[in-house]
Amino acid sequence: MSTRQVRPRRSAGPVIAVTGAADGIGRALVARLAGSADIKKVIALDDHRGDVPGVTWRVVDIRDPQLTSRISDVDAIVHLDIDQSPETDHRERRAYNVRGAQTVITAAAAVRVRRVILITSAMVYGAEEGNAVPLPEDSPLAAELDEGIVGDFLEIEELAAMAPVAHPGMTVTVLRPAALVGPGIDTVVTRHFEAPRLLTVKGCAQRWQFCHIDDLVTALELAVSGAVTGRLAVGCEGWLEPEEVEEITGRRRFELPAAVTFGTAQRLHRIGVTPAPATDLHYVVYPWVADCATLREAGWKPSRDNAEALTALLEEVAGRHALVGRRLARKEATMATAAGATVAVIGTAAIVRRARRKRRG
């Protein structure tokens, strides 16, 4: 009787490439796909090697046209290498994000990768006082194309829309998550919950919808399998009212007129005090809840509700302090809190100038 060891049969499923695979959402996705019996092979792409076992690592700059040589054996590619940091210069961030998506699409077309999966954000629907709650998934993209991160997402959405026209036979799926929470997520929205009080605009009630990265990963898995296609929202079912957010966070709201809120934020941004333009504040004071109809119809359910996702966010930001999107040192945070919430927002520039003078002195 032969003692030759029988090698396990390899899956007849697709070969999937994932960009940004070493960290964050990309790392979580390749780890999940590596354990799937339906996937033949996972190609992990990043500018450095990660620590997920059971995948094939290929070190590459996703903006490099030589990306084609790294994905020639791929059936589908998921592009997750996106910079969302509030600290990155907006010109550098825009160039990186748009060039990256463009290179991935072009390289995929060159080697006949027929399925491309991108992520943007439900922010592309725009945050406005008069928004329906929830917004239908096929609502027009009403966000403003400015220097904020939503401008990057809008440009990626345009690339996604043009790709099947420029490259017949290519299918592009775009996932639009609600406010992302989870390990490593640092955005203007998460920094809103690092403040001592919750900024609101007088006369408008914000509604909050979140998306934990674990749930984004399971939605991406459905997109990889082809179970969902098109443009689809991803997030918890329903939303949280302001009173529920106050109860969960233990933080009280404070109200300012819209003109004061956005006028002050724009001045602070203009002089370099805050990282994000005033329009980014729309996403913490106006609703942008989306109906996740496509995923719901496919049988997908988030593992967390909005309250649980917000609790996870609070655990991540514990010990951090921010105002109007700007991360503060402990002493600055103490000064801002002592000044009172309204005064803190208006007086952030003075606090920062005082701290800078002290450092120079």
Side-chain angles (χ1 to χ4, degrees):
M1 183 176 187
S2 172
T3 58
R4 182 172 62 88
Q5 185 176 5
V6 178
R7 300 179 67 182
R9 183 175 64 85
R10 298 182 69 183
S11 168
V15 176
I16 307 298
V18 180
T19 72
D23 304 290
I25 301 166
R27 182 186 182 282
L29 179 62
V30 296
R32 186 171 181 90
L33 294 179
S36 173
D38 298 324
I39 304 298
K40 181 177 182 179
K41 184 165 71 170
V42 180
I43 307 297
L45 304 170
D46 213 318
D47 62 3
H48 62 288
R49 186 183 175 90
D51 61 357
V52 178
V55 303
T56 300
W57 286 96
R58 294 176 182 172
V59 176
V60 63
D61 182 339
I62 52 96
R63 297 168 296 173
D64 188 338
Q66 292 302 313
L67 179 64
T68 53
S69 65
R70 317 299 270 170
I71 61 172
S72 59
D73 56 343
V74 165
D75 296 301
I77 185 166
V78 185
H79 177 48
L80 301 176
D81 193 350
I82 297 177
D83 183 358
Q84 298 192 49
S85 171
E87 301 300 336
T88 307
D89 176 82
H90 70 91
R91 291 172 291 267
E92 294 178 7
R93 190 200 64 234
R94 179 71 50 87
Y96 186 88
N97 288 339
V98 176
R99 176 68 181 275
Q102 189 172 47
T103 303
V104 166
I105 290 170
T106 303
V111 294
R112 303 194 178 193
V113 177
R114 293 306 186 189
R115 283 196 293 136
V116 176
I117 299 157
L118 306 173
I119 63 166
T120 59
S121 169
M123 295 171 80
V124 296
Y125 294 117
E128 299 294 340
E129 182 177 359
N131 274 351
V133 180
L135 289 161
E137 197 169 39
D138 59 355
S139 296
L141 307 190
E144 186 175 336
L145 182 59
D146 59 15
E147 67 184 53
I149 184 64
V150 70
D152 299 21
F153 292 140
L154 288 170
E155 292 212 24
I156 293 171
E157 290 269 356
E158 185 173 354
L159 290 171
M162 293 301 299
V165 178
H167 310 293
M170 176 180 285
T171 299
V172 180
T173 299
V174 181
L175 274 63
R176 300 166 176 165
L180 275 173
V181 304
I185 302 298
D186 179 21
T187 65
V188 169
V189 173
T190 61
R191 290 190 180 190
H192 176 68
F193 292 95
E194 297 178 23
R197 299 276 290 275
L198 302 174
L199 173 65
T200 60
V201 166
K202 192 169 291 186
C204 180
Q206 167 65 304
R207 275 84 168 188
W208 287 98
Q209 181 187 34
F210 299 97
C211 177
H212 195 279
I213 61 172
D214 290 348
D215 292 325
L216 177 56
V217 164
T218 59
L220 284 165
E221 190 176 26
L222 279 179
V224 164
S225 72
V228 292
T229 58
R231 279 62 172 151
L232 50 144
V234 191
C236 300
E237 285 296 314
W239 58 88
L240 295 176
E241 296 286 346
E243 295 77 13
E244 295 173 291
V245 172
E246 284 189 78
E247 182 178 354
I248 294 167
T249 62
R251 293 171 173 85
R252 290 182 297 164
R253 288 173 283 166
F254 73 98
E255 289 188 344
L256 287 175
V260 174
T261 300
F262 300 120
T264 301
Q266 190 56 36
R267 286 193 294 275
L268 294 176
H269 178 62
R270 192 181 302 120
I271 64 175
V273 171
T274 57
T279 47
D280 275 17
L281 274 188
H282 283 219
Y283 295 92
V284 301
V285 296
Y286 294 139
W288 47 293
V289 176
D291 181 14
C292 307
T294 300
L295 283 168
R296 185 171 60 249
E297 291 166 6
W300 175 87
K301 292 183 179 180
S303 63
R304 292 170 172 82
D305 61 24
N306 281 299
E308 292 167 332
L310 177 54
T311 300
L313 187 162
L314 294 173
E315 292 171 355
E316 284 295 316
V317 304
R320 300 175 190 164
H321 308 280
L323 279 171
V324 202
R326 181 183 183 274
R327 186 71 53 72
L328 301 178
R330 182 178 296 275
K331 181 172 284 189
E332 292 175 333
T334 301
M335 294 166 63
T337 303
T342 303
V343 176
V345 172
I346 306 301
T348 299
I351 292 169
V352 172
R353 284 195 297 270
R354 189 180 306 132
R356 286 175 177 170
R357 282 199 300 270
K358 187 170 182 180
R359 285 196 296 268
R360 288 197 298 267

